[in-house]
Amino acid sequence: MAGQGSVEGPEALVRRFWRQVFDQRNLPAARELVTADFRWRGSLGSESEGIEEFLGYAEAAQAAMPDLTVTLQEVAVAGSQVWARLGFRATHHGELLGQPGTGQRISYVGQAVHDVRDGRLSRVWVVADTLSLYRQLVHGSGSTMK
């Protein structure tokens, strides 16, 4: 089925993207879930165009937070867009927001807008509470997840 989009609905596609690519660290799955011209704007200061640039971002995120899990806490579908409230949990092992690994548990929240085209994700824009995340990295406090 290479080159063809998924027949699943937009919400299921978004959930599968976060579960496989981030929770399960299955980076090759991204090639099946996103368009060739995929655009990513992450809350950790990265923007990428195309699958290869995105995979570079995902590898760096995994190096910094090798046990990262993403929880979709609320999801709304509006046509070809999926909006989600996200919860992130991880152990900080590598450089993140300019801070070296601390070994401490971190958690923060965010929002993401996902555009779906032809059964694949064409754009994801994540905005997260990076101030809370930074405070946790520097001071060990400020978690936004309950």
Side-chain angles (χ1 to χ4, degrees):
M1 192 164 169
Q4 295 180 6
S6 168
V7 295
E8 66 195 326
E11 181 178 343
L13 173 66
V14 166
R15 288 184 182 280
R16 189 158 63 104
F17 170 78
W18 288 102
R19 182 181 63 253
Q20 290 185 347
V21 176
F22 288 93
D23 293 354
Q24 297 173 354
R25 287 157 271 304
N26 179 1
L27 296 183
R31 295 184 187 283
E32 299 172 12
L33 300 172
V34 305
T35 60
D37 61 345
F38 178 66
R39 291 177 40 217
W40 170 270
R41 194 235 180 249
S43 58
L44 301 178
S46 70
E47 292 188 44
S48 61
E49 278 195 46
I51 185 67
E52 297 307 323
E53 283 187 21
F54 168 71
L55 290 174
Y57 165 82
E59 287 172 356
Q62 288 177 5
M65 303 173 288
D67 60 351
L68 174 67
T69 58
V70 182
T71 304
L72 279 71
Q73 299 170 338
E74 293 181 78
V75 178
V77 179
S80 64
Q81 284 193 328
V82 179
W83 296 67
R85 186 167 62 90
L86 307 171
F88 303 91
R89 290 185 188 273
T91 306
H92 177 218
H93 283 289
E95 184 175 326
L96 186 61
L97 297 178
Q99 300 300 308
T102 61
Q104 72 181 1
R105 292 290 295 162
I106 55 174
S107 63
Y108 59 105
V109 296
Q111 305 282 330
V113 180
H114 310 78
D115 290 335
V116 178
R117 185 178 73 231
D118 299 327
R120 292 179 183 227
L121 292 173
S122 61
R123 180 179 70 111
V124 175
W125 184 333
V126 181
V127 179
D129 184 358
T130 53
L131 177 58
S132 171
L133 174 58
Y134 185 77
R135 285 179 177 155
Q136 291 173 71
L137 299 178
V138 173
H139 304 293
S141 64
S143 172
T144 57
M145 295 208 35
K146 304 293 180 217

